[in-house]
Amino acid sequence: MNRLNKSEIIFKMLAYILVGAFAIVALYPVIYAFSASISGKLEYEAGKIVLLPKNINFQVYKLIYNDKGFWISYVNTLFYTVFGTAWSMLISTTGAYALAKKRLLFRRQFNFLVVFTMWFNAGMIPTYLNYVNMGVNNRWGIIFAFGVQAYNIILLRNYFEGVPKEIDEAARMDGVTEFQMLRKIYMPMSKAALATVTLFYATSRWNGYFWARMLLKNPMELNLQVYMRILIENYRKMFDDMPINLPYATDAYIYAILVCSIIPVLIIYPYIQQYFARGVNLGGVKG
Amino acid sequence: MRKIETARAQNKVVNYAKIIMTDWRLYALLLPMIIWYLLWMYKPMGGLLIAFKNFQPNLGIGGSDFVGFSNFISLIAGPYSEQFWSAFRNTFLISLYGLIFGFPIPIILGILFSDISNVTFRNITQTFSYLPHFLSEVTITGLALTLLYHGEVNTGVIAKLLFETNLVPDGTKIIQNANYFRPLYIITGIWKEAGYSSIVYFAAIMGISPVLYEAIKVDGGNKFQEIRFVTFPGMAPTLIIMIILRIGKMLSVGYERIILLYNENTYKTADVLSSFVYRIGLEGSNQALGASAGMFNALIGFALVMGANFISRQVSETSLW
């Protein structure tokens, strides 16, 4: 280990402090939301909650637990996330695999077809009219019409291009078909990239709001984000009709809803987190 | 002559057909993606025609009459022009502030992360700072609206902090006040994306050869010279790509967070082109006008990427394509 000079020591200390501070700021609202959701009404309204909860009770979660709409939207979101991600991955992986092959006819043109959409698209109104025109107003519409992203396809394609040609050729000599090649050779060799892209698709499905709100007409098909937003828009009014002696503050309800929407992210995130930094870098931003 | 050319062209087609037939599996793998793109990305581009039409939903895009550029003219000079130009100005300002305040922070974070030698500390802090990126806009705006709420009974904890530190005059209804919208939008944006965006810079710095750092140390350079002469040049290509991407997106401020955060009281500073398109085109039902505003926005955006890319290629040989 080299000896550090003075400017380096100062810089290092600064780095630790600033990075630590940023991490705390990033995490704080999430911790606060949880604390606020389980704190007592008086403590919350007196502004005594800063980080840790006081006078803990989980009553507000009971309210959510008994809310049928919440569970319906939760299950719907799980459904959209699982099937939607599967669909997006299916198209992206097969497409990216083909695009990675130099022998593909019109390879440049196909690539352009995908990349171009990163710079120019029809825009909100024509896109909306197209969805309406194609009858995207239910569960399956939301699954099939959404969620393929050029960036992810490029990321996978670049990763697939990195698979050594020799392996590909050797397998071809053994009479392996394209499907087998993709499944048995390319996919196992690209686990990090696949995990990354899966995570991207899954979060965008889990978090999808705008189009779901625009297109879904049946209240039984709403996803969590839309349901949550409607609750956020109305919650202060909703509590006007409720008994005053509740053990939690009105805001606790919103914080609890937000916490419920974050939990799945928190559970899955640590497992995939290790992959994506690597995946993102290898894919690069190059078109 | 012509016969030979046609024969050649036919030959070509036959050859293509042959290649595709023998290698049909590869093309079968490609097909779903292409169909998806055609149906959901390219087909709507035909719908851009409504920007030039007097669109009537019952007649459809094809059945409505052409009106030339009159939608564009009414945007620029008609009854909506005031809102349109205000949205245009807001888009530009929000992007500009986003660039000034938002762009350097991930770079600084990337440099700081690279200087932390304790791997456990670094992993933990990185994990925490990436996290907000994965939360939804509804969650984030929900948090922001509640944390900043100022009502009769309760006040959000961040609003309270801002009042106590005198950053914001006591009792301000931050969410209802047009003066605070832009800072609100930009700070929530930084909070959500800065940590995550730092990954790219961090990786670029990690890719710089340690030999260069040794060398500048031997030459007696201090930490700031090290950053200036080794770290910055080393991450320059990444920096340039990121700035091109950023400039290219100058005019496409994301609509989700805007729509979720703004309200009638803050339209003045908050309404951007995409939220304007949403309001008049989808909430209202002036689709044609909305589409022409959207197209206007997209074309300028496209020109910006092209321009930025061109300049970057001239100056640095780094470009997106």
Side-chain angles (χ1 to χ4, degrees):
Chain A
M1 191 75 199
N2 291 318
R3 247 188 54 225
L4 300 173
N5 63 36
K6 211 172 160 195
S7 70
E8 279 175 321
I9 294 171
I10 296 172
F11 192 85
K12 233 178 209 1
M13 273 168 54
L14 206 67
Y16 274 87
I17 294 168
L18 291 176
V19 157
F22 190 84
I24 291 169
V25 170
L27 203 62
Y28 178 72
V30 176
I31 296 174
Y32 178 82
F34 182 65
S35 297
S37 72
I38 59 173
S39 289
K41 183 186 171 94
L42 293 175
E43 286 75 9
Y44 178 82
E45 281 173 0
K48 283 185 185 153
I49 314 304
V50 178
L51 180 69
L52 296 176
K54 291 199 173 92
N55 191 7
I56 297 175
N57 71 78
F58 289 87
Q59 289 290 323
V60 73
Y61 286 92
K62 218 182 206 168
L63 190 69
I64 297 171
Y65 180 81
N66 290 326
D67 180 353
K68 234 169 128 192
F70 178 80
W71 287 109
I72 291 170
S73 72
Y74 217 85
V75 172
N76 284 339
T77 304
L78 273 177
F79 175 85
Y80 294 134
T81 306
V82 171
F83 288 95
T85 306
W87 167 246
S88 302
M89 282 308 286
L90 181 74
I91 293 196
S92 307
T93 313
T94 52
Y97 172 80
L99 288 181
K101 294 292 165 109
K102 292 251 154 46
R103 66 173 200 281
L104 185 80
L105 278 179
F106 304 115
R107 181 167 177 261
R108 271 177 51 121
Q109 285 78 355
F110 284 131
N111 264 314
F112 185 77
L113 189 90
V114 172
V115 175
F116 183 69
T117 60
M118 286 171 81
W119 308 126
F120 188 86
N121 59 60
M124 196 189 287
I125 307 292
T127 305
Y128 174 77
L129 293 175
N130 186 46
Y131 289 143
V132 172
N133 185 261
M134 302 280 283
V136 180
N137 55 11
N138 56 34
R139 286 206 174 97
W140 294 108
I142 291 282
I143 286 182
F144 291 120
F146 286 90
V148 176
Q149 282 154 21
Y151 180 84
N152 291 340
I153 290 174
I154 293 161
L155 200 149
L156 284 175
R157 185 203 66 195
N158 288 1
Y159 214 94
F160 287 152
E161 277 173 0
V163 170
K165 259 218 319 268
E166 292 75 20
I167 298 180
D168 188 302
E169 279 162 10
R172 204 168 298 279
M173 297 287 267
D174 293 339
V176 169
T177 67
E178 294 300 332
F179 306 114
Q180 290 166 334
M181 184 96 87
L182 174 60
R183 249 197 44 210
K184 301 247 167 76
I185 296 166
Y186 279 73
M187 285 174 67
M189 288 183 78
S190 317
K191 270 190 197 142
L194 290 169
T196 308
V197 174
T198 308
L199 175 74
F200 289 165
Y201 279 138
T203 42
S204 89
R205 293 285 187 168
W206 182 266
N207 292 337
Y209 164 75
F210 183 77
W211 288 112
R213 183 140 197 195
M214 287 290 113
L215 298 170
L216 288 173
K217 299 289 177 235
N218 183 347
M220 296 300 280
E221 294 183 343
L222 290 188
N223 71 8
L224 181 62
Q225 304 299 332
V226 175
Y227 189 74
M228 240 166 58
R229 178 64 190 183
I230 295 170
L231 291 181
I232 293 173
E233 281 161 7
N234 301 325
Y235 80 105
R236 285 180 210 279
K237 268 176 259 156
M238 177 183 116
F239 277 86
D240 287 347
D241 314 330
M242 283 210 175
I244 317 166
N245 55 352
L246 290 168
Y248 47 82
T250 5
D251 286 356
Y253 176 65
I254 272 328
Y255 285 124
I257 294 267
L258 294 172
V259 167
C260 290
S261 80
I262 298 173
I263 285 171
V265 181
L266 289 182
I267 293 171
I268 299 169
Y269 178 67
Y271 295 103
I272 314 191
Q273 197 261 125
Q274 45 180 330
Y275 287 113
F276 69 69
R278 214 157 21 120
V280 173
N281 296 323
L282 284 163
V285 266
K286 245 170 75 189
Chain B
M1 267 309 264
R2 190 178 265 170
K3 250 185 194 165
I4 299 172
E5 266 171 29
T6 349
R8 253 189 211 149
Q10 272 171 358
N11 238 335
K12 226 176 180 177
V13 172
V14 171
N15 280 339
Y16 287 154
K18 228 183 237 166
I19 293 173
I20 293 171
M21 293 283 264
T22 49
D23 211 1
W24 66 270
R25 286 186 172 90
L26 186 66
Y27 297 91
L29 288 172
L30 182 67
L31 200 62
M33 185 189 80
I34 300 299
I35 293 175
W36 190 91
Y37 268 92
L38 293 178
L39 273 184
W40 305 111
M41 295 304 252
Y42 286 92
K43 185 168 167 277
M45 284 185 199
L48 280 170
L49 275 179
I50 77 164
F52 304 97
K53 290 193 166 195
N54 177 19
F55 180 68
Q56 261 140 9
N58 53 327
L59 296 177
I61 298 168
S64 303
D65 292 333
F66 267 106
V67 291
F69 285 91
S70 79
N71 285 324
F72 290 92
I73 292 165
S74 77
L75 261 188
I76 295 169
Y80 284 101
S81 64
E82 203 175 312
Q83 279 187 54
F84 173 76
W85 288 114
S86 150
F88 189 81
R89 204 179 91 104
N90 287 338
T91 311
F92 178 74
L93 284 177
I94 286 178
S95 289
L96 187 69
Y97 294 145
L99 194 69
I100 295 171
F101 298 105
F103 193 69
I105 290 177
I107 301 169
I108 295 168
L109 267 178
I111 295 174
L112 294 175
F113 277 132
S114 74
D115 213 59
I116 284 172
S117 34
N118 184 326
V119 181
T120 319
F121 182 79
R122 195 177 71 206
N123 281 343
I124 292 173
T125 47
Q126 280 186 324
T127 304
F128 288 172
S129 53
Y130 301 162
L131 180 69
H133 170 81
F134 293 96
L135 305 182
S136 74
E137 295 290 6
V138 174
T139 303
I140 281 164
T141 50
L143 279 171
L145 295 179
T146 325
L147 291 168
L148 290 169
Y149 183 75
H150 181 67
E152 280 154 29
V153 197
N154 48 29
T155 303
V157 69
I158 303 287
K160 216 169 261 169
L161 180 78
L162 293 171
F163 296 155
E164 271 162 23
T165 51
N166 281 326
L167 283 168
V168 171
D170 202 350
T172 311
K173 289 190 182 330
I174 297 171
I175 312 155
Q176 304 287 340
N177 190 320
N179 293 334
Y180 294 101
F181 185 86
R182 285 178 197 143
L184 171 63
Y185 181 82
I186 286 159
I187 291 168
T188 47
I190 291 173
W191 179 75
K192 187 175 195 291
E193 301 298 347
Y196 186 76
S197 312
S198 75
I199 294 179
V200 181
Y201 301 109
F202 175 70
I205 296 167
M206 290 320 235
I208 298 171
S209 160
V211 179
L212 294 173
Y213 285 104
E214 297 288 330
I216 194 154
K217 227 176 214 179
V218 172
D219 290 345
N222 66 29
K223 188 69 204 178
F224 297 96
Q225 286 165 328
E226 191 183 299
I227 291 175
R228 182 149 178 242
F229 295 112
V230 182
T231 310
F232 264 113
M235 61 200 263
T238 312
L239 257 169
I240 291 165
I241 298 248
M242 296 316 274
I243 204 134
I244 301 175
L245 286 170
R246 200 64 196 244
I247 291 172
K249 291 197 174 132
M250 271 293 264
L251 283 189
S252 55
V253 176
Y255 48 85
E256 252 191 5
R257 190 145 35 92
I258 298 268
I259 291 169
L260 291 169
L261 277 178
Y262 78 173
N263 52 57
E264 278 150 31
N265 297 316
T266 52
Y267 283 166
K268 204 172 74 188
T269 52
D271 195 22
V272 292
L273 284 169
S274 45
S275 57
F276 173 74
V277 171
Y278 162 75
R279 257 206 344 277
I280 64 164
L282 292 183
E283 276 196 324
S285 47
N286 205 332
Q287 284 104 337
L289 214 55
S292 52
M295 191 167 160
F296 185 83
N297 191 1
L299 286 176
I300 297 178
F302 189 61
L304 280 172
V305 200
M306 290 306 204
N309 196 45
F310 176 78
I311 293 168
S312 141
R313 203 175 340 195
Q314 300 296 313
V315 203
S316 68
E317 292 174 2
T318 307
S319 76
L320 285 168
W321 56 85

